[in-house]
Amino acid sequence: MIDSRGQMRVMEALLASGIIAVAMWSMINLTRSPDPYSAKARNELEKYCYDFLMSLADKEVFDEVVFNSTGVRPEWEGLMKNMLNAFLPANTLYNMTIYNMSRKDDGVEEEPLGSVFNASPEDFRLAKEAAGADVTYTTRRRWVFKIHLELARRW
């Protein structure tokens, strides 16, 4: 018959080595420094989002694209998509949503005016770098827009 104390010693050794392996794996993953390139690239992409939206606002592009002489332009999304395709780099994924901020009772309500995109949410999820920015813009017609832009780079 096999000695039961010997079996217990083998089980203790296996359990102890498993605990040590898990502890070492955890320490290696917790102490690994983040990739500085991707952190810097994401910050630059976020800054680019803000700069791009602000340059469009300074040139009153949103007034020109969204409105015509009678009000909100039908099919303004097509014009905005053409403009974004022309101004953004070719390897850039984008998703822009414009909200009309309207005053309701005791607060402000966001009503989506429309979206323009060249990629699915799945494409953004798979992108290595993605960033977003929000800008509030008051049009010449006294409409208040919240403009949300998400950008990602294709690899």
Side-chain angles (χ1 to χ4, degrees), residues 11-23:
M11 294 301 289
E12 285 176 7
L14 287 173
L15 184 61
S17 58
I19 291 171
I20 290 171
V22 168

Side-chain angles (χ1 to χ4, degrees), residues 91-110:
N91 65 339
T92 303
L93 305 174
Y94 62 83
N95 182 0
M96 176 187 279
T97 304
I98 297 180
Y99 299 92
N100 180 24
M101 307 295 284
S102 57
R103 199 167 172 185
K104 299 285 184 192
D105 298 328
D106 60 343
V108 176
E109 186 176 298
E110 294 179 4

Side-chain angles (χ1 to χ4, degrees), residues 46-58 62 80 83-89 96 135 149 151:
E46 187 172 341
K47 185 178 181 218
Y48 182 76
C49 280
Y50 279 112
D51 290 345
F52 184 73
L53 285 174
M54 291 307 295
S55 69
L56 294 179
D58 286 343
F62 301 111
M80 184 67 76
M83 189 217 41
L84 292 175
N85 287 334
F87 289 144
L88 290 172
M96 176 187 279
V135 170
L149 176 65
L151 294 178

Side-chain angles (χ1 to χ4, degrees), residues 100-155:
N100 180 24
M101 307 295 284
S102 57
R103 199 167 172 185
K104 299 285 184 192
D105 298 328
D106 60 343
V108 176
E109 186 176 298
E110 294 179 4
E111 298 174 25
L113 196 61
S115 291
V116 180
F117 51 88
N118 70 348
S120 69
E122 181 69 16
D123 293 333
F124 276 92
R125 193 180 67 75
L126 295 174
K128 229 176 178 179
E129 307 170 352
D134 290 325
V135 170
T136 303
Y137 175 74
T138 303
T139 68
R140 283 181 270 142
R141 295 175 182 251
R142 305 230 188 272
W143 288 41
V144 178
F145 288 161
K146 175 184 162 190
I147 302 152
H148 177 75
L149 176 65
E150 295 175 358
L151 294 178
R153 290 192 176 113
R154 286 186 194 157
W155 288 98

Side-chain angles (χ1 to χ4, degrees), residues 2-60:
I2 299 177
D3 185 17
S4 63
R5 277 193 334 188
Q7 286 180 341
M8 285 305 292
R9 296 283 183 221
V10 169
M11 294 301 289
E12 285 176 7
L14 287 173
L15 184 61
S17 58
I19 291 171
I20 290 171
V22 168
M24 287 179 64
W25 178 81
S26 298
M27 289 306 296
I28 289 170
N29 284 328
L30 290 175
T31 59
R32 186 181 335 172
S33 61
D35 181 16
Y37 170 75
S38 64
K40 183 179 177 187
R42 186 182 184 291
N43 287 342
E44 288 175 357
L45 191 59
E46 187 172 341
K47 185 178 181 218
Y48 182 76
C49 280
Y50 279 112
D51 290 345
F52 184 73
L53 285 174
M54 291 307 295
S55 69
L56 294 179
D58 286 343
K59 295 173 184 165
E60 298 182 347

